[in-house]
Amino acid sequence: MSTARVALLCTLLLPALAAAQRVTVPVDVGVGPAAYMFFGPVFDDQPIHTGVKLSVEAVLDKDWLKKNQRAIPTRYRKYAKSVDEVRISPSIFIPDSFIISPKLKNTGMYGVTWKPLGLGLPLSSGPVRFSVGGGLLLTYAYLYSDTLANTHFLRPGAELGVDLELQFSKNFLISLGWESALYVPQALGSLGLPDRVRDGIFHVGQAYLQLHVRFPYTTHL
């Protein structure tokens, strides 16, 4: 299925479902450790910071879409028939990840990232699912250090990533992934722009491992 058709389904079909009937959907909750690389002076001081990756999604697979056609407006059913799976995040206010990295030597960091808009494109389906995706981000993190200027990092950004999901049973999955995020550059010690991009925070890499549990939940989509 093309990216354009995925976008069309997400922007047209899913808002229409918000006024639809009450239905039971599988909800996927994933959580696990993450490693962050703040490239630039922070990386030079300490390459790896730690945290937690979180995801909460309603998973509408082909069987669900087939069994619940009445919940889908008639004009969108042809699009629903052409997809293998649609995933919906129930709220833009659910964090995407937390930075929890106590100071072990020189530098510590705490923060949170939200992903108010994201789009994924699966390249394979079945027990082994490989997908690529991207989205818009908003991150706040407080960096405190003996060697770097203490910084309140607050920036919007955009990310691209890959995700490999392994399904061991209907209700238990494991995923591995990498995301690379580019932010509006920020100087250390202030909220302004750095004199040179490489002297500030502008690129953050994230590697993660998540354990997923799925369970039925009755709601209005």
Side-chain angles (χ1 to χ4, degrees):
M1 183 178 184
S2 68
T3 302
R5 294 180 70 184
V6 171
L8 179 63
L9 188 64
C10 291
T11 56
L12 297 181
L13 170 58
L14 301 183
L17 284 175
Q21 61 188 3
R22 193 171 180 83
V23 292
T24 299
V25 299
V27 172
D28 183 299
V29 176
V31 64
Y36 302 90
M37 285 141 276
F38 284 73
F39 296 105
V42 178
F43 184 87
D44 295 338
D45 177 79
Q46 180 175 316
I48 304 295
H49 289 273
T50 56
V52 176
K53 177 76 169 176
L54 175 67
S55 64
V56 180
E57 297 175 317
V59 181
L60 311 183
D61 59 19
K62 183 172 290 187
D63 290 338
W64 188 96
L65 294 169
K66 183 178 180 180
K67 293 176 182 178
N68 293 273
Q69 289 189 27
R70 292 183 179 180
I72 304 172
T74 304
R75 61 187 181 277
Y76 300 134
R77 289 177 185 172
K78 64 179 180 180
Y79 297 111
K81 292 179 180 179
S82 64
V83 299
D84 292 326
E85 186 178 90
V86 176
R87 300 190 178 195
I88 313 167
S89 178
S91 173
I92 63 173
F93 299 107
I94 296 176
D96 177 78
S97 57
F98 296 93
I99 301 169
I100 307 171
S101 187
K103 182 168 65 174
L104 299 179
K105 186 177 180 181
N106 297 321
T107 302
M109 190 183 304
Y110 293 94
V112 60
T113 293
W114 292 271
K115 186 186 294 184
L117 179 63
L119 179 65
L121 181 63
L123 303 181
S124 63
S125 59
V128 179
R129 180 180 185 270
F130 182 75
S131 62
V132 297
L136 300 180
L137 306 175
L138 176 64
T139 294
Y140 167 76
Y142 175 62
L143 180 149
Y144 60 103
S145 176
D146 298 329
T147 55
L148 302 172
N150 293 347
T151 302
H152 291 276
F153 176 73
L154 179 62
R155 281 296 192 264
E159 62 88 14
L160 292 174
V162 294
D163 184 88
L164 177 64
E165 185 179 86
L166 307 174
Q167 185 170 3
F168 291 93
S169 70
K170 185 177 181 180
N171 298 320
F172 178 72
L173 307 88
I174 293 178
S175 63
L176 301 164
W178 169 267
E179 294 179 353
S180 188
L182 294 177
Y183 292 91
V184 176
Q186 179 175 329
L188 294 178
S190 77
L191 291 173
L193 296 172
D195 293 333
R196 297 182 301 176
V197 171
R198 67 187 183 198
D199 292 334
I201 300 174
F202 67 99
H203 180 197
V204 179
Q206 179 192 105
Y208 62 86
L209 165 68
Q210 281 187 299
L211 304 180
H212 298 259
V213 176
R214 291 184 180 177
F215 56 90
Y217 183 73
T218 301
T219 185
H220 286 92
L221 287 180

